[in-house]
Amino acid sequence: MTSRDTGGHAPATAAVQVRAEGEVDEESVAYVRAKLTALFDRPDVGVIGGEVRITRAAAHHAEQPWSATAEIRVGSDLLVVHAREASAHELADRLQDRLRSRMERVAHRTDTARRSATPPPWRGGPSDDQQQGRAERTP
């Protein structure tokens, strides 16, 4: 079982390496790479780098011989995703869905619009008197 390094061709996926182990054909690797390119080639995604490992089990009797592990760094967050499926196309689709949901979770968590501008008075924020005085001073 040898490992093949098949780095991405697109600029956004250049930092994400796709590695294949076992009996993985080039068509399967290309399909996974296309799914990753569709996921990462967006202006709002700041992918720094990572690696996706695709493995096909040598045992032909396995129900889900295809497995993938992705470790992608998006900003300061590390996304780790595991998937197992019966075919390479199902694996790529599952991997894309799981990575997309993790990326949306990271983006939603860092969204500053969800945070309140000032804390309430019982949490150390300004009291009602201080807020009224500040409102009168502003033109």
Side-chain angles (χ1 to χ4, degrees):
M1 198 166 26
T2 61
S3 166
R4 292 177 291 175
D5 181 18
T6 57
H9 298 290
T13 58
V16 178
Q17 294 180 344
V18 178
R19 295 182 185 252
E21 296 179 359
E23 302 173 11
V24 180
D25 57 342
E26 291 298 321
E27 178 187 341
S28 301
V29 173
Y31 188 73
V32 170
R33 188 179 298 123
K35 288 291 193 171
L36 293 175
T37 301
L39 182 64
F40 295 137
D41 278 350
R42 298 185 335 205
D44 60 338
V45 176
V47 175
I48 293 177
E51 179 180 73
V52 176
R53 290 182 301 276
I54 304 168
T55 307
R56 184 174 182 191
H60 297 288
H61 63 277
E63 288 182 27
Q64 296 179 329
W66 292 88
S67 64
T69 302
E71 296 177 0
I72 309 292
R73 184 157 300 276
V74 177
S76 62
D77 296 306
L78 178 66
L79 307 179
V80 179
V81 175
H82 302 281
R84 294 185 68 90
E85 287 297 330
S87 72
H89 287 269
E90 291 173 359
L91 179 73
D93 294 340
R94 175 75 51 126
L95 189 65
Q96 183 187 29
D97 290 341
R98 288 186 178 176
L99 278 170
R100 179 183 295 125
S101 69
R102 299 298 195 291
M103 288 172 47
E104 288 174 356
R105 189 178 306 159
V106 167
H108 187 65
R109 185 176 64 224
T110 60
D111 187 16
T112 57
R114 295 182 52 223
R115 299 181 187 146
S116 63
T118 57
W122 60 89
R123 297 252 173 143
S127 64
D128 290 336
D129 298 336
Q130 292 173 346
Q131 287 179 0
Q132 288 176 354
R134 193 177 320 146
E136 291 173 359
R137 282 183 259 153
T138 54

